Coordinates of all heavy atoms in Angstrom, one line a residue:
L19 N 8.5 10.4 -20.8 CA 8.3 11.2 -22.1 C 9.5 11.9 -22.4 O 9.8 12.1 -23.7 CB 7.2 12.1 -21.8 CG 5.7 11.4 -21.8 CD1 4.7 12.4 -21.3 CD2 5.3 11.0 -23.1
L20 N 10.3 12.5 -21.5 CA 11.5 13.3 -21.8 C 12.5 12.4 -22.5 O 13.1 12.8 -23.5 CB 12.0 13.9 -20.5 CG 13.3 14.7 -20.7 CD1 13.1 15.9 -21.6 CD2 13.8 15.0 -19.4
V21 N 12.7 11.2 -21.9 CA 13.7 10.4 -22.5 C 13.2 9.9 -23.9 O 14.0 9.9 -24.9 CB 13.9 9.1 -21.7 CG1 14.6 8.0 -22.3 CG2 14.6 9.5 -20.3
F22 N 12.0 9.7 -24.1 CA 11.4 9.3 -25.2 C 11.7 10.3 -26.5 O 12.2 10.1 -27.5 CB 10.0 8.9 -25.3 CG 9.4 8.6 -26.6 CD1 9.6 7.4 -27.1 CD2 8.5 9.5 -27.1 CE1 9.0 7.0 -28.4 CE2 7.9 9.2 -28.3 CZ 8.2 7.9 -29.1
F23 N 11.2 11.6 -26.1 CA 11.3 12.7 -27.3 C 12.8 13.0 -27.5 O 13.0 13.4 -28.6 CB 10.3 13.6 -27.2 CG 10.5 14.8 -26.2 CD1 11.5 15.7 -26.3 CD2 9.8 14.9 -25.0 CE1 11.7 16.8 -25.4 CE2 10.0 15.8 -24.1 CZ 11.0 16.9 -24.4
V24 N 13.5 13.0 -26.5 CA 15.0 13.3 -26.7 C 15.6 12.2 -27.6 O 16.4 12.5 -28.5 CB 15.7 13.5 -25.4 CG1 17.2 13.5 -25.6 CG2 15.4 14.8 -24.7
C25 N 15.3 11.0 -27.3 CA 15.9 9.9 -28.1 C 15.3 10.0 -29.6 O 16.1 9.8 -30.6 CB 15.5 8.5 -27.6 SG 16.5 8.1 -26.1
V26 N 14.0 10.3 -29.8 CA 13.5 10.3 -31.1 C 14.2 11.5 -31.9 O 14.4 11.4 -33.0 CB 11.9 10.5 -31.0 CG1 11.3 10.9 -32.4 CG2 11.4 9.3 -30.5
I27 N 14.3 12.7 -31.2 CA 15.0 13.9 -31.9 C 16.4 13.6 -32.3 O 16.8 13.9 -33.3 CB 14.7 15.1 -31.0 CG1 13.2 15.5 -30.9 CG2 15.6 16.3 -31.5 CD1 13.1 16.7 -30.0
F28 N 17.1 13.0 -31.4 CA 18.5 12.5 -31.6 C 18.5 11.6 -32.9 O 19.4 11.8 -33.6 CB 19.1 11.9 -30.4 CG 20.4 11.4 -30.6 CD1 21.6 12.4 -30.6 CD2 20.8 10.1 -30.7 CE1 22.8 12.0 -30.8 CE2 22.2 9.7 -30.9 CZ 23.1 10.6 -31.0
M29 N 17.6 10.5 -32.8 CA 17.6 9.7 -33.9 C 17.4 10.5 -35.2 O 17.9 10.2 -36.2 CB 16.6 8.6 -33.7 CG 16.3 7.6 -34.9 SD 15.1 6.4 -34.6 CE 13.7 7.4 -34.7
Q30 N 16.5 11.4 -35.2 CA 16.1 12.2 -36.3 C 17.3 13.0 -36.8 O 17.7 13.2 -38.0 CB 15.0 13.1 -36.1 CG 14.7 14.1 -37.1 CD 13.6 15.1 -36.8 OE1 13.3 15.3 -35.6 NE2 12.9 15.7 -37.8
I31 N 18.0 13.5 -35.8 CA 19.3 14.3 -36.3 C 20.3 13.5 -36.9 O 20.9 13.8 -37.9 CB 19.9 15.1 -35.0 CG1 18.9 16.2 -34.7 CG2 21.2 15.6 -35.3 CD1 19.2 16.8 -33.3
V32 N 20.5 12.3 -36.4 CA 21.6 11.3 -36.8 C 21.2 10.9 -38.3 O 22.0 10.8 -39.2 CB 21.7 10.1 -35.9 CG1 22.6 9.0 -36.6 CG2 22.4 10.6 -34.6
L33 N 19.9 10.6 -38.4 CA 19.4 10.1 -39.7 C 19.5 11.2 -40.8 O 19.8 10.9 -42.0 CB 18.1 9.6 -39.6 CG 17.9 8.1 -38.9 CD1 16.5 7.7 -38.7 CD2 18.7 7.2 -39.6
R34 N 19.2 12.4 -40.4 CA 19.3 13.5 -41.3 C 20.7 13.7 -41.7 O 21.1 14.1 -43.0 CB 18.8 14.8 -40.8 CG 17.3 14.9 -40.9 CD 16.9 16.3 -40.5 NE 15.3 16.4 -40.4 CZ 14.6 17.4 -40.2 NH1 15.3 18.4 -39.6 NH2 13.3 17.4 -40.2
A35 N 21.6 13.6 -40.8 CA 23.1 13.7 -41.2 C 23.6 12.6 -42.2 O 24.5 12.8 -43.0 CB 24.0 13.6 -40.0
L36 N 22.8 11.5 -42.1 CA 23.1 10.3 -43.1 C 22.2 10.4 -44.3 O 22.2 9.5 -45.1 CB 22.9 9.1 -42.3 CG 23.8 8.8 -41.2 CD1 23.3 7.6 -40.5 CD2 25.2 8.7 -41.6
D37 N 21.6 11.5 -44.5 CA 20.6 11.8 -45.6 C 19.4 10.7 -45.5 O 19.0 10.2 -46.7 CB 21.2 11.8 -47.0 CG 22.0 13.1 -47.3 OD1 21.6 14.1 -46.7 OD2 23.0 13.1 -48.0
M38 N 19.0 10.3 -44.5 CA 17.9 9.3 -44.3 C 16.9 10.0 -43.3 O 17.3 10.0 -42.1 CB 18.4 8.0 -43.8 CG 19.4 7.3 -44.7 SD 20.2 5.9 -43.9 CE 18.9 4.9 -43.2
S39 N 16.0 10.4 -43.7 CA 14.9 11.1 -42.8 C 13.8 10.2 -42.6 O 13.2 9.6 -43.5 CB 14.5 12.4 -43.3 OG 13.7 13.1 -42.4
L40 N 13.2 10.1 -41.3 CA 11.9 9.6 -41.0 C 10.8 10.5 -41.0 O 11.0 11.6 -40.2 CB 12.0 8.7 -39.9 CG 13.0 7.5 -39.9 CD1 13.1 6.9 -38.5 CD2 12.5 6.5 -40.9
P41 N 9.7 10.6 -41.6 CA 8.6 11.6 -41.6 C 8.0 11.7 -40.3 O 7.4 12.7 -39.9 CB 7.8 11.3 -42.8 CG 8.0 9.8 -43.0 CD 9.4 9.5 -42.6
W42 N 7.9 10.6 -39.5 CA 7.0 10.6 -38.3 C 7.7 11.1 -37.1 O 7.0 11.3 -36.1 CB 6.5 9.1 -38.1 CG 7.6 8.1 -38.0 CD1 8.1 7.3 -39.1 CD2 8.4 7.7 -36.8 NE1 9.1 6.5 -38.6 CE2 9.2 6.8 -37.3 CE3 8.4 8.1 -35.5 CZ2 10.1 6.1 -36.5 CZ3 9.2 7.5 -34.7 CH2 10.0 6.6 -35.1
T43 N 9.0 11.3 -37.2 CA 9.8 11.5 -35.8 C 9.4 13.0 -35.3 O 9.2 13.1 -34.1 CB 11.3 11.4 -36.1 OG1 11.6 12.3 -37.2 CG2 11.8 10.1 -36.3
E44 N 9.2 13.9 -36.1 CA 8.9 15.3 -35.7 C 7.5 15.3 -35.1 O 7.3 15.9 -34.0 CB 8.9 16.3 -36.8 CG 10.3 16.6 -37.2 CD 10.3 17.7 -38.4 OE1 9.5 18.6 -38.3 OE2 11.1 17.5 -39.3
E45 N 6.6 14.6 -35.6 CA 5.2 14.6 -35.2 C 5.1 13.9 -33.8 O 4.5 14.4 -32.9 CB 4.4 13.9 -36.2 CG 2.8 14.0 -35.8 CD 2.1 13.5 -37.1 OE1 1.8 14.2 -38.0 OE2 1.6 12.3 -37.0
I46 N 5.7 12.7 -33.7 CA 5.6 12.0 -32.3 C 6.5 12.6 -31.3 O 6.1 12.8 -30.1 CB 6.1 10.5 -32.6 CG1 5.6 9.7 -31.4 CG2 7.6 10.4 -32.7 CD1 5.6 8.2 -31.6
A47 N 7.5 13.4 -31.6 CA 8.3 14.1 -30.6 C 7.5 15.3 -30.2 O 7.4 15.7 -29.0 CB 9.6 14.7 -31.3
R48 N 6.7 16.0 -31.1 CA 5.8 17.1 -30.8 C 4.7 16.6 -29.8 O 4.5 17.3 -28.8 CB 5.3 17.8 -32.0 CG 4.5 19.0 -31.7 CD 4.0 19.6 -33.0 NE 4.8 19.6 -34.2 CZ 4.6 18.9 -35.2 NH1 3.5 18.2 -35.4 NH2 5.5 18.9 -36.2
F49 N 4.1 15.6 -30.1 CA 3.1 15.0 -29.2 C 3.6 14.7 -27.9 O 3.1 15.1 -26.8 CB 2.4 13.9 -29.8 CG 1.7 14.0 -31.1 CD1 1.4 13.1 -32.0 CD2 1.2 15.2 -31.3 CE1 0.8 13.3 -33.1 CE2 0.4 15.6 -32.5 CZ 0.2 14.6 -33.4
A50 N 4.8 14.0 -27.8 CA 5.4 13.7 -26.5 C 5.8 14.9 -25.7 O 5.6 15.0 -24.5 CB 6.6 12.7 -26.8
F51 N 6.3 15.9 -26.5 CA 6.6 17.1 -25.8 C 5.5 17.9 -25.1 O 5.6 18.3 -24.1 CB 7.4 18.1 -26.8 CG 7.9 19.3 -26.1 CD1 8.9 19.4 -25.2 CD2 7.4 20.6 -26.4 CE1 9.4 20.4 -24.6 CE2 7.8 21.7 -25.9 CZ 8.9 21.7 -24.9
I52 N 4.3 17.9 -25.9 CA 3.0 18.6 -25.3 C 2.6 17.7 -24.2 O 2.2 18.4 -23.1 CB 2.0 18.6 -26.4 CG1 2.4 19.7 -27.5 CG2 0.6 19.1 -25.8 CD1 1.6 19.6 -28.8
W53 N 2.6 16.4 -24.2 CA 2.1 15.6 -23.1 C 3.1 15.9 -21.8 O 2.6 16.0 -20.8 CB 2.2 14.2 -23.5 CG 0.9 13.8 -24.2 CD1 0.5 14.3 -25.4 CD2 0.0 12.7 -23.8 NE1 -0.6 13.6 -25.7 CE2 -1.0 12.6 -24.8 CE3 -0.1 11.9 -22.7 CZ2 -2.0 11.8 -24.8 CZ3 -1.2 11.0 -22.7 CH2 -2.1 11.0 -23.6
F54 N 4.4 16.0 -22.2 CA 5.4 16.3 -21.1 C 5.1 17.6 -20.4 O 5.2 17.6 -19.2 CB 6.8 16.3 -21.8 CG 8.0 16.8 -21.0 CD1 8.5 16.0 -20.0 CD2 8.4 18.1 -21.0 CE1 9.5 16.4 -19.1 CE2 9.4 18.5 -20.3 CZ 10.0 17.8 -19.3
I55 N 4.8 18.6 -21.2 CA 4.6 20.0 -20.6 C 3.2 19.9 -19.7 O 3.4 20.4 -18.6 CB 4.5 20.9 -21.7 CG1 5.7 21.3 -22.5 CG2 3.8 22.2 -21.2 CD1 5.6 22.1 -23.7
L56 N 2.2 19.3 -20.2 CA 1.0 19.3 -19.4 C 1.1 18.5 -18.2 O 0.6 18.8 -17.1 CB -0.2 18.8 -20.3 CG -0.5 19.9 -21.4 CD1 -1.5 19.2 -22.4 CD2 -1.1 21.1 -20.8
F57 N 1.7 17.3 -18.3 CA 1.9 16.5 -17.1 C 2.9 17.1 -16.2 O 2.8 16.9 -15.0 CB 2.1 15.0 -17.5 CG 0.9 14.2 -17.8 CD1 0.7 13.9 -19.1 CD2 -0.1 14.0 -16.9 CE1 -0.4 13.3 -19.6 CE2 -1.3 13.4 -17.3 CZ -1.5 13.0 -18.6
G58 N 3.9 17.8 -16.8 CA 4.9 18.5 -15.8 C 4.1 19.6 -15.1 O 4.5 19.8 -13.8
A59 N 3.1 20.3 -15.7 CA 2.5 21.3 -14.9 C 1.7 20.7 -13.8 O 1.6 21.2 -12.7 CB 1.5 22.0 -15.9
C60 N 1.2 19.4 -14.0 CA 0.5 18.7 -13.0 C 1.5 18.4 -11.8 O 1.1 18.6 -10.6 CB -0.1 17.4 -13.4 SG -1.5 17.6 -14.6
Y61 N 2.6 17.9 -12.1 CA 3.5 17.6 -11.0 C 4.0 18.9 -10.3 O 4.2 18.8 -9.1 CB 4.7 16.8 -11.6 CG 5.8 16.3 -10.7 CD1 5.2 15.4 -9.7 CD2 7.0 16.6 -10.6 CE1 6.1 14.9 -8.7 CE2 7.8 16.1 -9.6 CZ 7.4 15.2 -8.7 OH 8.2 14.7 -7.7
A62 N 4.3 20.0 -11.0 CA 4.7 21.3 -10.4 C 3.5 21.7 -9.4 O 3.8 22.2 -8.4 CB 4.9 22.2 -11.5

Side-chain angles (χ1 to χ4, degrees):
L19 288 168
L20 178 65
V21 168
F22 176 74
F23 77 75
V24 166
C25 288
V26 168
I27 290 172
F28 178 74
M29 179 180 66
Q30 178 185 17
I31 291 168
V32 169
L33 288 175
R34 279 190 181 172
L36 300 172
D37 285 334
M38 301 168 49
S39 182
L40 297 174
W42 55 267
T43 53
E44 286 183 40
E45 192 170 279
I46 200 166
R48 186 180 320 113
F49 293 152
F51 185 66
I52 292 168
W53 280 59
F54 170 77
I55 290 169
L56 290 170
F57 282 109
C60 293
Y61 190 57

